[in-house]
Amino acid sequence: MLSYQHAYHAGNFADVHKHLTLHAVADHLLRKKSAITFIDTHAGRGRYPLAAEETARLREYRQGVAPLWTRRAGLMEGGGVLAEWLAALAQAQPDAERLTHYPGSPWWLSRRLRAQDRLLLFELHPGEHDHLTDQRLSGEARRIHGDGLQGLLSRLPVPTPRLCVLVDPSYERKAEYAEVAETLLAAMRKARHAVVLVWYPLLPEGRHRALLEGLRDGGLRKVWRAELDHHAPADGKRGMHGSGMLVINPPWGLDERLGEAMARVVPLLGREANYRSGWWVGE
Ligand code: SAM
């Protein structure tokens, strides 16, 4: 049974980490003319009003996107990935001066689709899929009610020369970490050049190790990895303390471009926040 709803967490530190990475990757890929298929295996609703009951309950965006928005004038002076991301975030607001909505991955992926590109958005939860269907998205974006991991495999190889995939599960079941690893291994056999982004939570139980071990055991080792620790895991305390991203076949220069942005973002997310990135070789 699916109970996770991203609206409770919209705009939190993990969303900032994930969507900045997504923006940096997509931006790089869109510099070349050849067509891209983007696949979002776990799309969610697409757009989250911050005043909605679910989002207002925890207000996680206060330790995520909100402090960046407040300081956006200064942050944008530095240019680069962060300035572009903040400018895009303003475009997602009905009133560009006020942060009232947080855009999800379907919005970040669809906003710059060109005529030659396509986007497939999978969402399994019927209610979340209905919300997604109601969103206005630009470009050729298909919303599919179904399992994103199976959906990904069934669509490979894609008809476009390039492929970019975001895998952002809710990891409600422990087995999902291993399932994601198996799916990625199968997908990379069918689409060796695909650029694939995978998000995972850092939890006190360290469950993401099953994902990394699955990839390592399957022979997929040279993967770029970045982890953002929001706070140190407290003894006996449950819940996510950090956010992890893997990028298979990362665009050239990603580590540097994103590193510059994250160096300015991380101090605003919390006193204990820290960020590290580099090649993961299966240790
Ligand atoms: N990617 C979204 C974003 O960045 O805005 C957030 C996605 S949220 C973390 C995970 C979503 O995956 C939830 O909406 C959940 O209903 C959906 N989901 C769970 N299992 C799924 C599956 N097997 N296939 C597709 N969607 C699934």
Side-chain angles (χ1 to χ4, degrees):
M1 200 186 82
L2 292 168
S3 60
Y4 179 91
Q5 287 182 33
H6 195 67
Y8 286 96
H9 310 287
N12 68 4
F13 70 87
D15 266 358
V16 169
H17 178 209
K18 172 175 58 189
H19 295 141
L20 257 171
T21 311
L22 183 61
H23 168 77
V25 170
D27 175 65
H28 193 278
L29 296 179
L30 288 163
R31 289 180 198 172
K32 280 196 193 152
K33 263 199 194 139
S34 71
I36 311 172
T37 298
F38 291 98
I39 299 183
D40 188 349
T41 58
H42 298 72
R45 292 186 187 187
R47 194 157 174 261
Y48 301 90
L50 300 180
E53 198 188 330
E54 303 97 317
T55 311
R57 188 172 304 171
L58 303 171
R59 294 198 209 157
E60 291 189 6
Y61 59 84
R62 288 191 303 183
Q63 277 125 40
V65 67
L68 309 189
W69 179 264
T70 309
R71 290 170 183 79
R72 67 192 184 285
L75 291 173
M76 287 176 79
E77 279 170 17
V81 167
L82 183 56
E84 290 161 13
W85 190 81
L86 287 165
L89 185 64
Q91 286 165 14
Q93 310 305 320
D95 168 356
E97 295 305 313
R98 288 178 57 226
L99 179 70
T100 54
H101 291 71
Y102 187 76
S105 51
W107 188 87
W108 290 103
L109 284 168
S110 68
R111 58 180 282 272
R112 288 181 55 204
L113 288 179
R114 304 159 304 180
Q116 65 268 41
D117 303 323
R118 50 208 285 271
L119 169 61
L120 304 181
L121 300 164
F122 289 92
E123 173 54 54
L124 190 56
H125 190 294
E128 298 298 275
H129 173 71
D130 286 348
H131 279 293
L132 180 61
T133 306
D134 290 342
Q135 297 299 329
R136 209 178 317 136
L137 296 172
S138 32
E140 165 75 33
R142 275 192 61 203
R143 297 149 233 223
I144 301 155
H145 180 211
D147 182 285
L149 297 181
Q150 285 173 16
L152 168 65
L153 293 180
S154 70
R155 259 72 176 184
L156 301 183
V158 292
T160 51
R162 295 186 293 156
L163 168 66
C164 176
V165 183
L166 172 67
V167 181
D168 180 24
S170 36
Y171 297 104
E172 283 176 86
R173 294 174 297 107
K174 233 166 133 180
E176 270 183 276
Y177 295 91
E179 289 166 10
V180 169
E182 274 169 36
T183 305
L184 292 176
L185 292 167
M188 296 317 291
R189 282 195 289 272
K190 290 184 168 189
R192 280 182 45 229
H193 302 295
V195 176
V196 183
L197 299 94
V198 186
W199 180 84
Y200 57 87
L202 296 175
L203 301 167
E205 303 88 334
R207 288 193 182 146
H208 67 286
R209 279 190 226 112
L211 165 63
L212 296 177
E213 284 162 15
L215 296 179
R216 181 197 60 201
D217 296 347
L220 197 70
R221 290 186 181 199
K222 204 160 181 238
V223 175
W224 182 82
R225 174 170 70 159
E227 290 186 344
L228 167 65
D229 265 317
H230 185 256
H231 53 267
D235 272 352
K237 217 175 157 198
R238 290 161 64 88
M240 180 172 77
H241 62 83
S243 153
M245 288 295 301
L246 300 175
V247 184
I248 305 171
N249 293 326
W252 186 83
L254 176 69
D255 193 54
E256 198 177 46
R257 283 198 308 281
L258 207 53
E260 280 169 14
M262 292 304 288
R264 308 185 75 204
V265 163
V266 169
L268 301 178
L269 297 179
R271 269 182 296 137
E272 292 181 52
N274 79 79
Y275 175 79
R276 53 195 176 273
S277 65
W279 289 104
W280 172 75
V281 286
E283 81 280 16

